[in-house]
Amino acid sequence: MVTGMSIQASAEQRLSDLSIALPPPPTPFGAYVETVKIGNLLFLSGMLPVIGREPQYVGRVGGALSAEEGRKAAEIACLNALSAAKEHLGSLDKITGVAKLGVYIATEGDFRGHPKIADGASELLVKVFGTEMLSGRVVLGVASLPLGMPVEVELVFEIAA
């Protein structure tokens, strides 16, 4: 249990209690949409660590960027995912589960701290939704990501019917 918050707190209430401000909803950098609802699932496009279309981090983790910067980039990318979901759904309280989390990290070849970077996204989701919605995840190191950014986060949410 997070100190000062009820276990039953809604996602929107947790954001408020933790003073977490969502960035403006991201806009596509190409010919795609940020969210697609199929049945009771909301698929989010890969989210980058941008605010208002401006990259917050550029470079590879373990090279130009430290592990801590990579972790912060993953958190910003996840905040963008939450913002896109809220824009589509009207409220994060309509999310009933985190079905999948994928974290792609542009790294130098000898970097091995991928899980710690991905925890920037995972721990944000736990803060917002609670441990009961902690999901499985895929974490991959890659050679490059769009626009030279270090992290891309992919999410699938289960939503209320």
Side-chain angles (χ1 to χ4, degrees):
M1 180 170 160
V2 178
T3 306
M5 287 192 298
S6 163
I7 291 175
Q8 302 302 320
S10 72
E12 295 286 346
Q13 185 61 51
R14 288 178 189 207
L15 281 175
S16 176
D17 290 349
L18 294 167
S19 299
I20 296 174
L22 295 179
T27 56
F29 283 98
Y32 62 93
V33 294
E34 298 291 0
T35 58
V36 174
K37 180 184 171 290
I38 299 174
N40 69 333
L41 296 176
L42 184 67
F43 294 83
L44 286 95
S45 294
M47 296 290 158
L48 299 166
V50 298
I51 297 178
R53 295 184 68 84
E54 293 296 320
Q56 300 301 294
Y57 294 94
V58 174
R60 288 189 181 129
V61 178
L65 299 175
S66 69
E68 183 57 29
E69 288 169 314
R71 183 181 175 87
K72 288 178 183 173
E75 183 176 319
I76 292 169
C78 193
L79 284 168
N80 277 319
L82 295 177
S83 183
K86 182 173 181 169
E87 172 85 356
H88 186 92
L89 299 170
S91 171
L92 294 178
D93 293 338
K94 293 181 180 177
I95 295 172
T96 57
V98 180
K100 178 185 177 188
L101 170 62
V103 182
Y104 306 90
I105 308 161
T107 65
E108 292 298 321
D110 60 348
F111 184 79
R112 289 180 171 46
H114 301 76
K116 292 186 186 299
I117 306 307
D119 281 345
S122 293
E123 290 173 4
L124 176 65
L125 293 172
V126 168
K127 286 178 188 175
V128 174
F129 297 113
T131 56
E132 62 276 3
M133 281 203 220
L134 191 60
S135 70
R137 71 180 186 193
V138 174
V139 181
L140 298 171
V142 298
S144 68
L145 288 168
L147 308 173
M149 286 187 245
V151 176
E152 186 167 359
V153 170
E154 173 189 22
L155 276 158
V156 178
F157 290 122
E158 178 187 47
I159 56 175

